[in-house]
Amino acid sequence: MKRRDFFKKAATVAGSAALGGSTLLANETGHPVDNRKVSDIALPQKRPLITYSDRPPLLETPREVFANAITPNDLFFVRWHMPMIPTYINPHYFSISIDGEVKKPMKVSLKSLKTEFEAVEITSVLQCGGNSRSAFRPTPSGIQWGPGAMGCAKWKGARLKDVLAKVGLKPNAAWIKFNGLEKPVYSKTDRFVRALELSKMHDDIIIAYEMNGEELPYLNGFPVRLILPGFYSDSWIKMLSDITVTDTKPPLHFMDHAYRIPDNNCECETPDHLAKKTKPIEEMNVNSLIGYPVNGTKVRKDAELIVRGVAFDGGHGIARVEISTDGGTGWQAASLDDGKQGKYAYRTFTYRLTPDRTGSLSIMARATNTKGETQPFAHEVKWNRGGYKYNGIDEVAVEVLS
Amino acid sequence: MKRRDFFKKAATVAGSAALGGSTLLANETGHPVDNRKVSDIALPQKRPLITYSDRPPLLETPREVFANAITPNDLFFVRWHMPMIPTYINPHYFSISIDGEVKKPMKVSLKSLKTEFEAVEITSVLQCGGNSRSAFRPTPSGIQWGPGAMGCAKWKGARLKDVLAKVGLKPNAAWIKFNGLEKPVYSKTDRFVRALELSKMHDDIIIAYEMNGEELPYLNGFPVRLILPGFYSDSWIKMLSDITVTDTKPPLHFMDHAYRIPDNNCECETPDHLAKKTKPIEEMNVNSLIGYPVNGTKVRKDAELIVRGVAFDGGHGIARVEISTDGGTGWQAASLDDGKQGKYAYRTFTYRLTPDRTGSLSIMARATNTKGETQPFAHEVKWNRGGYKYNGIDEVAVEVLS
């Protein structure tokens, strides 16, 4: 790094307050922070994970878990917004209240959800919109996630469509509002509520009561959670308790102000020129992560190393994953699994290489979906104030020993 | 521990050479050593594992992997007997030579194995006969395994029965001898060869060319391995290269002298009175392991802890797994998975508990199979000179914080 660059970077990291916004680089990204330690202490029903906070609970999954197609429940990341979450829910008395522009407002009990509707299971990735946010400079506010604010599980439940058919939508029904049991401390704070346009409802949206064959972990939304395959997790309301159907889009803090990105072609802006028009983050863009090796893994020269990881997008399907070991100049195809997990799930990849010299070896992974959308290099990812939708080409460096 | 006990134990650990066999406790077992560190360095195609030796390669899987139904290839344990293993095999030229008491001796190429025989897939546990050997006192010779010399994978290949049908067995055929590509350094050393009585052959014995949907890892027997579901792994010949059919049991060091246990009801003996009659270890006994938590995991008082693990036997099927948190006095049923992996595979279990006081908490797991066979307490496991077939009730201690 040149001396001048160093000062530039130092100024960037120091932030805008002291130096004035105009001295900042317009936008800059790198790789997300990826060396945080797993906590010493396990939260309920979880293994020890990377722990940012326990109130609200904020847990990140370490990189090595992403070598596998399914993320186990006890290793699955956790993200809540409000500090008040019920610590006891009796599933025998739990029900979802459905009202608004419906013909028969009713409470649907957990039992009736399980017995009166067709049970469907869908394998889908759940990813925080701010996953890898720590890659952005200047630093956006929010949790400084590394790359592990995501997971892939088998979700089982009733179709939202079937449940709404039972209450009957009125002709003017246009939006569906979802509310869960997390609550702010101060009563005037907005609750974490999301709404879905009725025209965007499809068969794969479910109200899930099982995750990987078990009841949902408490921290992942027990007893029921909204599953919106292909969408970022801010839409997947946990501990879903209220559904209200409305004729117009309801005003909602977490849709109107948070989880939004610039509504322009690059979905980008600069700290100096924030975009005036924004839109919800919604559909996930194409992404991949190397699960093994991790940074610093020691391997042997002339010994085959199998790189393993996962790739996914918002539901168009992964067309290919490529690997580069020369800093992104040359790319070779990785092997993909059979894709039987479905279009919303992880597609696992493997790539075999045999290091032929000692020292540091960089391994990059890049996924491309069936629409031809691909991952940019980390430094090419465009900045946005929320630090959302990061999908830079992943990179790990291993140490090759003689 | 009383002072006298301490000296007794010290004498035991010091071994028989200095003290004379008769001063030893007759037989004693505890829990296997379970705090070995994962190596810094990955062997080819593997993640870093607990490494006892790299020539021959001896790798153990750490406990936390046993929370899941399938053991990933790169985390699967490795055990070879001979220091000389081919470091290059060309699968295009590889074939298995079949001769002896057959009508048409032939070489079956890897390609014909994959194309000319029905492909079957079976999920089965592979476990070393000496798994957990480090629990035995006095110390038997051999690798001092902790509890991770095992794994469960989906094995795909051709039925042994179908392959033998193609060469045609002569009427006097009675034994099938299997040899692989590992070789001793000294030419007069016995090769690692096993034989199977023809009467014990069944449909589930396969010659596998795939493991968990991929070609077999080199260290797990690439390109083909014999799969004997229900049997300990000493019978699962790796890099299978020669099959010889014989009319009588061939003399074989590794069947006649190693991997044998006392041929009596308790399958036990004492250092002072070694059993005269012995038998091969063959069918696995009922066993279980807690994958999570591990020893020393820190959890919170009043927070639900989900214990996860695996149970299996030699193919009769697991009837139940029970958990004790009071040192083995009271036992409660754990939840079992749906068993769809089949009778030779891991049955995963979960058990939910909420520690109601701080301090150390011991968690024990005990599996029982459909024949009613169950696991003894660790200290009740009977001693044998080889340290084989350990299946003591598993135990981990967690630390409960306020």
Side-chain angles (χ1 to χ4, degrees):
Chain A
M1 190 188 290
K2 282 184 251 167
R3 191 179 161 82
R4 201 183 57 182
D5 285 348
F6 172 78
F7 282 108
K8 255 167 118 178
K9 280 182 196 290
T12 307
V13 172
S16 61
L19 295 156
S22 59
T23 65
L24 286 171
L25 290 178
N27 59 337
E28 194 181 340
T29 48
H31 289 283
V33 175
D34 188 26
N35 58 357
R36 293 197 182 90
K37 294 292 177 213
V38 163
S39 168
D40 280 339
I41 305 174
L43 262 68
Q45 305 182 336
K46 294 284 173 181
R47 299 199 201 195
L49 293 167
I50 299 163
T51 304
Y52 294 89
S53 160
D54 61 3
R55 186 174 297 185
L58 295 166
L59 307 176
E60 180 178 335
T61 304
R63 177 184 282 272
E64 58 267 30
V65 174
F66 301 103
N68 297 309
I70 292 291
T71 313
N73 288 2
D74 59 354
L75 289 168
F76 211 98
F77 91 103
V78 168
R79 199 273 188 262
W80 291 82
H81 295 78
M82 306 292 173
M84 288 175 70
I85 305 165
T87 54
Y88 180 74
I89 293 173
N90 188 331
H92 299 293
Y93 297 114
F94 182 87
S95 65
I96 303 169
S97 164
I98 307 177
D99 57 19
E101 302 299 324
V102 297
K103 290 171 185 161
K104 291 173 289 181
M106 63 172 71
K107 285 177 179 288
V108 178
S109 71
L110 181 60
K111 189 183 170 190
S112 80
L113 202 67
K114 289 180 178 177
T115 56
E116 292 173 28
F117 300 93
E118 184 187 348
V120 292
E121 191 172 61
I122 187 159
T123 306
S124 177
V125 174
L126 174 67
Q127 181 189 204
C128 177
N131 192 19
S132 294
R133 179 182 282 129
S134 57
F136 291 95
R137 295 281 179 278
T139 304
S141 64
I143 316 308
Q144 295 303 304
W145 297 110
M150 64 174 190
C152 180
K154 296 177 194 176
W155 310 94
K156 185 174 172 182
R159 286 188 197 93
L160 173 62
K161 189 184 72 166
D162 295 348
V163 174
L164 291 182
K166 184 159 182 188
V167 296
L169 295 175
K170 287 189 179 168
N172 59 336
W175 285 81
I176 319 162
K177 202 173 79 170
F178 303 96
N179 184 23
L181 292 179
E182 62 179 320
K183 281 180 192 165
V185 172
Y186 179 51
S187 63
K188 300 258 171 86
T189 306
D190 288 291
R191 292 187 65 150
F192 190 76
V193 175
R194 300 286 296 174
L196 178 75
E197 214 168 343
L198 191 57
S199 61
K200 290 187 181 172
M201 186 170 66
H202 57 78
D203 283 6
D204 293 329
I205 299 176
I206 60 178
I207 301 174
Y209 42 75
E210 272 188 25
M211 178 175 172
N212 292 328
E214 298 176 358
E215 60 184 29
L216 275 75
Y218 218 86
L219 294 178
N220 294 110
F222 175 86
V224 292
R225 176 173 201 161
L226 186 67
I227 307 300
L228 271 108
F231 274 40
Y232 286 98
S233 63
D234 57 300
S235 296
W236 297 43
I237 296 294
K238 292 182 287 296
M239 292 185 178
L240 178 65
S241 58
D242 303 277
I243 297 175
T244 306
V245 180
T246 57
D247 55 355
T248 53
K249 191 198 149 297
L252 297 168
H253 173 77
F254 283 97
M255 281 196 78
D256 301 339
H257 302 289
Y259 291 109
R260 295 180 77 86
I261 46 169
D263 187 8
N264 54 34
N265 280 338
C266 67
E267 298 185 342
C268 69
E269 60 194 338
T270 66
D272 287 347
H273 297 93
L274 294 177
K276 292 218 170 65
K277 210 178 155 202
T278 61
K279 60 184 179 183
I281 56 172
E282 298 192 340
E283 190 182 300
M284 297 192 293
N285 52 11
V286 63
N287 211 343
S288 69
L289 197 74
I290 296 168
Y292 182 79
V294 299
N295 279 305
T297 297
K298 293 184 180 73
V299 300
R300 290 279 183 203
K301 181 174 170 286
D302 299 325
E304 191 175 57
L305 167 65
I306 306 184
V307 179
R308 294 176 186 275
V310 297
F312 61 97
D313 73 347
H316 306 287
I318 294 300
R320 64 180 178 279
V321 172
E322 296 158 299
I323 302 291
S324 176
T325 54
D326 61 2
T329 305
W331 293 90
Q332 291 80 38
S335 297
L336 294 177
D337 69 26
D338 59 18
K340 283 184 185 163
Q341 290 213 113
K343 64 181 181 174
Y344 296 116
Y346 284 155
R347 194 88 187 262
T348 61
F349 65 85
T350 54
Y351 181 79
R352 292 159 184 261
L353 73 135
T354 304
D356 58 4
R357 56 184 176 75
T358 58
S360 180
L361 170 67
S362 157
I363 303 167
M364 302 171 103
R366 176 176 74 183
T368 303
N369 71 5
T370 57
K371 286 173 76 180
E373 294 164 341
T374 192
Q375 296 179 250
F377 285 102
H379 68 270
E380 292 172 346
V381 172
K382 298 288 194 298
W383 191 87
N384 67 76
R385 75 193 88 168
Y388 293 124
K389 295 186 75 168
Y390 177 88
N391 73 333
I393 288 171
D394 193 29
E395 183 175 6
V396 296
V398 302
E399 194 180 335
V400 184
L401 307 177
S402 60
Chain B
M1 190 189 293
K2 282 184 252 171
R3 190 180 161 85
R4 200 181 57 181
D5 286 348
F6 172 79
F7 282 108
K8 255 169 121 178
K9 280 182 196 291
T12 307
V13 171
S16 61
L19 296 157
S22 59
T23 65
L24 286 171
L25 290 179
N27 60 337
E28 193 180 341
T29 47
H31 289 283
V33 176
D34 188 26
N35 58 357
R36 293 198 182 89
K37 293 293 176 212
V38 163
S39 168
D40 280 338
I41 304 175
L43 262 66
Q45 306 182 336
K46 294 283 174 182
R47 299 198 201 196
L49 293 167
I50 298 162
T51 305
Y52 293 89
S53 160
D54 61 4
R55 186 173 299 184
L58 295 167
L59 307 176
E60 180 178 336
T61 304
R63 178 186 281 272
E64 58 267 31
V65 174
F66 301 103
N68 297 309
I70 293 292
T71 314
N73 289 1
D74 59 354
L75 289 169
F76 211 98
F77 91 103
V78 168
R79 198 273 189 263
W80 292 82
H81 294 80
M82 306 292 173
M84 288 175 71
I85 305 164
T87 54
Y88 179 75
I89 293 172
N90 187 330
H92 300 294
Y93 297 115
F94 183 86
S95 65
I96 303 169
S97 165
I98 307 177
D99 58 17
E101 302 298 325
V102 297
K103 291 170 186 162
K104 291 173 291 183
M106 62 172 73
K107 285 179 180 290
V108 178
S109 71
L110 182 58
K111 189 183 169 190
S112 81
L113 202 67
K114 291 180 178 179
T115 56
E116 293 173 27
F117 300 93
E118 184 187 350
V120 293
E121 191 172 61
I122 187 159
T123 305
S124 177
V125 174
L126 173 67
Q127 182 189 204
C128 177
N131 192 20
S132 294
R133 179 182 283 129
S134 57
F136 290 95
R137 294 282 180 275
T139 303
S141 63
I143 318 307
Q144 295 302 305
W145 298 110
M150 64 174 190
C152 181
K154 296 177 194 176
W155 310 93
K156 185 174 174 183
R159 285 187 196 94
L160 173 63
K161 188 184 73 165
D162 296 347
V163 173
L164 290 182
K166 184 161 181 186
V167 296
L169 295 174
K170 286 188 180 170
N172 59 337
W175 285 80
I176 319 163
K177 201 173 81 170
F178 303 97
N179 184 21
L181 292 179
E182 64 180 318
K183 282 180 192 165
V185 172
Y186 179 52
S187 63
K188 299 257 171 86
T189 308
D190 289 290
R191 294 187 65 151
F192 190 75
V193 176
R194 300 285 296 173
L196 178 75
E197 214 167 343
L198 190 58
S199 61
K200 290 188 179 172
M201 186 171 67
H202 57 78
D203 284 7
D204 294 329
I205 299 176
I206 61 177
I207 301 174
Y209 42 76
E210 272 189 24
M211 178 175 172
N212 292 329
E214 299 176 358
E215 61 185 28
L216 276 74
Y218 218 86
L219 294 178
N220 294 109
F222 175 85
V224 293
R225 176 173 202 161
L226 186 68
I227 307 301
L228 272 108
F231 274 41
Y232 287 99
S233 63
D234 57 300
S235 296
W236 298 41
I237 297 294
K238 292 181 289 297
M239 292 185 178
L240 178 65
S241 58
D242 303 276
I243 297 175
T244 305
V245 180
T246 58
D247 55 354
T248 52
K249 191 197 151 299
L252 297 168
H253 172 76
F254 284 97
M255 281 196 77
D256 301 339
H257 302 288
Y259 292 109
R260 295 181 75 86
I261 46 169
D263 188 9
N264 54 34
N265 281 339
C266 67
E267 298 185 343
C268 68
E269 58 194 339
T270 66
D272 287 347
H273 296 93
L274 294 178
K276 291 219 170 64
K277 210 178 156 203
T278 62
K279 61 183 178 183
I281 56 173
E282 298 191 341
E283 191 182 300
M284 298 191 293
N285 52 11
V286 64
N287 211 344
S288 69
L289 198 73
I290 296 168
Y292 182 79
V294 299
N295 279 304
T297 298
K298 294 184 178 74
V299 301
R300 290 279 182 205
K301 179 174 171 286
D302 299 325
E304 191 175 57
L305 167 65
I306 306 184
V307 179
R308 294 176 185 276
V310 296
F312 61 98
D313 73 346
H316 307 286
I318 294 300
R320 63 180 179 279
V321 173
E322 295 158 298
I323 302 291
S324 176
T325 54
D326 61 4
T329 305
W331 293 90
Q332 291 81 35
S335 298
L336 294 177
D337 69 26
D338 59 18
K340 283 184 186 164
Q341 289 212 115
K343 65 181 180 174
Y344 296 117
Y346 283 155
R347 194 89 186 262
T348 60
F349 64 84
T350 53
Y351 182 78
R352 292 158 183 261
L353 72 134
T354 304
D356 57 4
R357 54 183 177 78
T358 59
S360 181
L361 170 68
S362 157
I363 303 168
M364 303 171 103
R366 176 176 74 182
T368 303
N369 70 6
T370 56
K371 286 173 76 180
E373 294 164 340
T374 193
Q375 296 179 250
F377 285 102
H379 68 269
E380 293 172 346
V381 173
K382 298 289 194 295
W383 190 88
N384 67 78
R385 74 193 89 168
Y388 294 124
K389 295 186 74 169
Y390 176 88
N391 72 335
I393 288 170
D394 194 28
E395 183 174 6
V396 295
V398 303
E399 193 180 336
V400 184
L401 308 178
S402 61

